[in-house]
Structures are given as C-alpha cells and as structure tokens.
Amino acid sequence: MVQHYGDGTNTQQLSPPRQFSDDRIIAQREAADRSVEERPVERTSTQVPVAAAPGVAEPGVSAPEEERRAAHRANVKTSTAAEVDPAYRGFKSGSAFFGWLIAVGLTVLITGILVAIAAAVDYAVTFDRSTFDDHAGTIAIATAAVVIVMLAIACYNGGYVAGRLARFDGARQGFGVWAIGLVIVLIVIGLGALADSQYDLVNRLDLPSVPIAHDLLVSGGVIAAGALLVVTLLAAVIGGKAGQRYHHRIDNSWD
C-alpha cells in the first residue's frame, strides 16, 4: 500500500485582485481636467465680456498698461500747501519769466489785430485832419483805454501761466510777471533816453502835433500811466491766483 505524504500546505497560490493605485487615479483625473481646459470655447453673439476684477489685468492688456491705469484711478491724497517743503514755495523766477513771455506774445498778437481793424476802418471810412483835431481828447482817452485793457488781458494770462507752472503762491508769481515787464520797460526807456542824448533822435522824428494843451497832455499822461500800472498789476496778481486755484481744486478733489 502506497501512502502519499504531504506537508499539509496548499500549493496553489491565488493572485491578488488587480487594483489601481491612488497615484494613477489622480494622474487620470488631472489629464481629464487639462483636456477640458484646452478645449476651445466658442463665443456667440449673446456673450457679454465681463470686466476684470480689481487688481486683475484685463484680457489683451499688458501688465504695465494695467498698472498705469490703476495708478491713474488710485485715490491718491496729494500734499497740501502746509505739508509741502518750503523750498518749493515762494517766488519762482522761471515761472514768472515764462509768464512774461506769454504776456509779451499776447500783447503783440492783440496789437496786430487792433492795427488790422484800424486799417480796415480807415480804408472803409475816410477821416480828414479836421476830424482828428475836433475829437483829439476823445481819441486820446479811447486810445489809452484800449491800451490799458490790452495790457491787462496780457498780464492776466501771463500771471495765469506763471501760477499754473509754480502751483503755489500764485499772487507772487503774477507780481513777478508784472515786475519783469516793468523792469524791461524801464530798461528800454533808459536806453532810448541815452540814445536820444547822444544822437538827438526825438527831434529827428517827424511826430504829428497833438491839438491838446501841454499841461493837460502831461496830467493826462500821468493819470494814464498810473492807471496802467495799477490795472496791469491787479490783472497779473488775479491771473496768478487763478492759475494756482487750478491745482487747489485738484488737491481738494480727493476729499
């Protein structure tokens, strides 16, 4: 009798069931998500673009451009006059000089317009010498008034430009424009007097005689000169304050 002995163990080994690891499942999910994101989206005519949230760049706009827009829209509180370094305050000769240049340019421009108007009137209407002699006083007053108004307009705009350039102390900038103009005029008058003393220029000029008494002419000239100085000074100072007021409105726009 043949006996078979065994070790009592089951020699048949069962393979474990096939399972997917967690890493493989995550990789499959990520691949599916990427495929969805890369799929092109078709816009229809009914789709309305949505504005980007604050701080997020808009589609098609570069980052520097968006930063510039954000800085422009930022609610920035500018410094008030009391907070500014005193070195930036006070009279600014550069601003006053450029304001004076504007005043001179406007004076030349307005003078050219008035001369053209006078030439057109003289061409349309003929005036004889007797008409001027009869209305010499009225013509002199009207001429002085026109000159004063013309220079006042020029000084106002010059002061305005100086006040805008300097930002602070607009009255001082307007006064600087007026002072520069006065100094230039005095220099020109001094050079003219020096040239007249050397070459007798006034007597060489064929100036028309004015049918007005000498005393009345002198007193009228003094009054006109005083009015010219006062009116142009006020116009320049007011113009400088108006130029400064522009920056004042900007400083207070964030309050």
Side-chain angles (χ1 to χ4, degrees):
M1 183 175 180
V2 179
Q3 294 181 352
H4 297 279
Y5 298 95
D7 54 4
T9 59
N10 188 6
T11 59
Q12 184 180 2
Q13 295 180 357
L14 299 176
S15 61
R18 188 177 182 180
Q19 297 179 353
F20 294 96
S21 64
D22 294 340
D23 295 339
R24 186 174 181 181
I25 295 175
I26 293 174
Q28 290 179 353
R29 289 180 179 177
E30 290 178 352
D33 293 339
R34 284 196 299 269
S35 64
V36 172
E37 292 176 355
E38 294 175 357
R39 184 180 303 172
V41 179
E42 296 181 0
R43 282 191 175 183
T44 61
S45 58
T46 58
Q47 290 179 340
V48 179
V50 180
V56 180
E58 298 178 0
V61 180
S62 60
E65 179 68 16
E66 177 62 25
E67 293 176 359
R68 186 189 65 80
R69 292 183 182 179
H72 179 71
R73 294 190 299 264
N75 189 4
V76 180
K77 181 66 175 67
T78 57
S79 300
T80 60
E83 299 171 347
V84 175
D85 191 337
Y88 297 100
R89 301 290 304 274
F91 173 71
K92 302 299 180 183
S93 58
S95 301
F97 175 74
F98 284 108
W100 174 76
L101 289 180
I102 295 299
V104 171
L106 268 178
T107 301
V108 174
L109 178 62
I110 297 175
T111 302
I113 294 174
L114 293 178
V115 169
I117 294 175
V121 172
D122 183 66
Y123 179 80
V125 181
T126 303
F127 295 97
D128 53 6
R129 181 67 182 180
S130 60
T131 304
F132 286 101
D133 293 341
D134 295 338
H135 302 85
T138 304
I139 294 175
I141 294 174
T143 302
V146 170
V147 171
I148 291 174
V149 172
M150 176 184 67
L151 293 179
I153 294 173
C155 290
Y156 174 85
N157 287 275
Y160 181 85
V161 171
R164 283 287 297 272
L165 289 176
R167 181 180 177 185
F168 299 109
D169 299 321
R172 294 183 181 180
Q173 318 311 326
F175 176 80
V177 172
W178 179 84
I180 292 175
L182 180 61
V183 170
I184 296 298
V185 170
L186 293 178
I187 291 175
V188 172
I189 292 175
L191 293 177
L194 179 62
D196 181 65
S197 64
Q198 296 293 328
Y199 303 102
D200 195 17
L201 297 178
V202 175
N203 292 330
R204 293 183 180 182
L205 297 175
D206 186 14
L207 298 175
S209 60
V210 181
I212 300 176
H214 180 71
D215 296 339
L216 183 61
L217 186 61
V218 172
S219 60
V222 171
I223 294 174
L228 179 63
L229 291 176
V230 173
V231 171
T232 52
L233 174 60
L234 292 177
V237 171
I238 293 173
K241 295 291 289 184
Q244 177 190 352
R245 195 175 300 113
Y246 173 83
H247 296 282
H248 183 70
R249 289 198 299 265
I250 294 178
D251 294 340
N252 294 334
S253 62
W254 306 112
D255 296 339

